[in-house]
Amino acid sequence: MSTEPGTPLLSVENLTTTFDTDAGELVAVDGIDFEVQEGQTVCIVGESGSGKTVASESITQLVPSPPGSIDGTVRFEGREVSAMSESELREIRGSAVSHVFQNPQDALNHCYTVGWQIVEAIQVHEDVSKAAARERAVDLLDRVGIANAATRFDDYPHEFSGGQKQRVMIAMALVTNPDLLIADEPTTALDVTVQAQILSLLDDLQEEYGMGIVFVTHDLGVVAQIADYVVVMYAGKVMERGDVYEVFEEPAHPYTRALMDCLPGGERAAGGIGGTLPDPTDPPDGCRFAPRCEYAVEECSRGTQPEEARLSDSHSVSCVYYHGGRDASVITGGADAEEGRRPGSPGGTADD
């Protein structure tokens, strides 16, 4: 890695991604910021439709233009990605930065063997013979836990299970020993045993390669296992961010707390969070989560998303309850918590 001491591996500032649609301008990512240090795992978490995938693809400018448009600053190893030419972007995509996309069933080409596809990826980035590329491909398949890798090299994607396909995708992403791995929902649709194996594999590979990881997920259970730092997104905005221990031990935003209540054993485990995400072509004023928030007050629906309040050196939250002398214990479970709940809200009492 070529990052100067003290420089983040990845720095994202005011990232905004929009799409021109027949219904108007759709704002998928709306001015988000985060950093990734070398060897660090940053999890971007939120419900489906929160903008997580678009944010991850905007890092390397993968969003097609038109209809998409990306603004803001993205710096990778100190270089401004957002100002790179297409040829410069091609140099870092798949080499210094690799993606593991959602749904390996669609990402793999079913007309070719998995070995051929890995060899092709190797030869795109390295001037090596086919025999040398094959040897390296077999080694990668073995390294990600594909049993009998030399034999499975000549198998087609349909001959692999879902978990094995995900391992193949990870092997392809590791072809160039990337400094940054962006993994978008890599454990979705996998049973809990295979999911645990994939997470363990990523942890082992991170330790071996020293790479940073941006891990996109809707599953806070996964976040708890692998994250160093958490960015909670909702409707294109960051609601809360911080060290994983601080966020899990002291969740500050009502949305973060609602997500945690959806975990097994939580208050919302059966029914989820009431309501739906706002229309991205017509987002509400104020806090994006206010229409679904049981603690919302009139101020929550005015102006723009509240400025982030810093709770510690590594923990901040975007919520009006942390401004203007309001009592944040209403949200975090203080003695007067019930007084702040919206009348008739899911958490309110029958007499509200």
Side-chain angles (χ1 to χ4, degrees):
M1 297 185 184
S2 58
T3 309
E4 292 292 326
T7 301
L9 177 66
L10 176 72
S11 177
V12 175
E13 299 176 11
N14 196 31
L15 180 65
T16 301
T17 307
T18 60
F19 296 90
D20 288 328
T21 73
D22 292 340
E25 184 181 69
L26 186 156
V27 184
V29 178
D30 196 354
I32 70 169
D33 309 285
F34 65 93
E35 292 181 348
V36 183
Q37 306 295 332
E38 291 183 4
Q40 183 185 43
T41 298
V42 173
C43 281
I44 303 177
V45 64
E47 294 170 278
S48 295
S50 292
K52 309 183 302 297
T53 292
V54 175
S56 69
E57 294 181 353
S58 297
I59 290 170
T60 52
Q61 312 288 296
L62 286 175
V63 174
S65 177
S69 176
I70 303 171
D71 291 308
T73 301
V74 177
R75 291 187 180 90
F76 175 70
E77 295 184 335
R79 300 172 61 196
E80 192 165 330
V81 177
S82 46
M84 288 182 181
S85 66
E86 189 60 34
S87 61
E88 290 174 317
L89 284 169
R90 282 196 296 268
E91 287 182 11
I92 68 164
R93 290 175 184 153
S95 53
V97 182
S98 286
H99 286 261
V100 177
F101 297 103
Q102 290 189 52
N103 195 353
Q105 179 74 19
D106 295 334
L108 289 168
N109 190 322
H110 289 257
C111 296
Y112 298 94
T113 66
V114 297
W116 185 93
Q117 294 179 65
I118 298 174
V119 164
E120 181 187 41
I122 292 170
Q123 292 189 305
V124 164
H125 294 286
E126 300 178 29
D127 184 16
V128 296
S129 68
K130 184 169 290 188
R134 179 187 176 102
E135 183 178 350
R136 178 157 160 68
V138 170
D139 178 65
L140 283 168
L141 288 172
D142 180 67
R143 190 165 295 186
V144 299
I146 299 294
N148 303 314
T151 302
R152 300 307 305 274
F153 177 95
D154 293 313
D155 287 345
Y156 288 85
H158 73 270
E159 298 177 272
F160 290 77
S161 68
Q164 289 173 329
K165 289 174 187 172
Q166 195 59 276
R167 290 172 184 268
V168 170
M169 292 302 301
I170 293 171
M172 293 179 71
L174 295 175
V175 159
T176 57
N177 298 336
D179 295 339
L180 178 67
L181 180 69
I182 301 174
D184 187 2
E185 301 275 13
T187 59
T188 298
L190 302 179
D191 66 49
V192 292
T193 301
V194 177
Q195 174 179 283
Q197 292 171 351
I198 295 296
L199 295 178
S200 178
L201 169 64
L202 288 174
D203 185 59
D204 291 343
L205 292 170
Q206 183 178 44
E207 184 175 350
E208 179 180 351
Y209 289 96
M211 61 190 176
I213 295 177
V214 174
F215 194 103
V216 174
T217 183
H218 65 276
D219 190 339
L220 277 173
V222 169
V223 174
Q225 294 181 60
I226 66 167
D228 297 307
Y229 193 85
V230 184
V231 178
V232 181
M233 282 190 68
Y234 179 81
K237 291 283 192 181
V238 172
M239 300 290 109
E240 184 170 356
R241 74 180 81 227
D243 175 89
V244 65
Y245 294 105
E246 290 185 285
V247 172
F248 271 76
E249 291 177 5
E250 298 180 5
H253 198 282
Y255 180 59
T256 309
R257 299 183 73 87
L259 287 175
M260 290 186 176
D261 283 344
C262 293
L263 290 170
E267 294 179 8
R268 308 172 196 260
I273 304 172
T276 59
L277 276 84
D279 181 351
T281 65
D282 186 25
D285 291 336
C287 177
R288 296 285 166 87
F289 188 59
R292 301 172 70 188
C293 181
E294 60 194 277
Y295 301 102
V297 294
E298 184 178 347
E299 185 182 350
C300 298
S301 299
R302 295 201 301 258
T304 59
Q305 186 70 34
E307 292 289 327
E308 289 190 40
R310 186 169 292 280
L311 307 181
S312 73
D313 289 343
S314 61
H315 190 189
S316 61
V317 59
S318 170
C319 177
V320 300
Y321 275 92
Y322 298 86
H323 296 281
R326 287 188 176 275
D327 182 9
S329 69
V330 168
I331 295 170
T332 57
D336 299 325
E338 287 297 330
E339 294 182 8
R341 292 183 184 241
R342 176 187 291 171
S345 72
T349 66
D351 297 329
D352 280 340

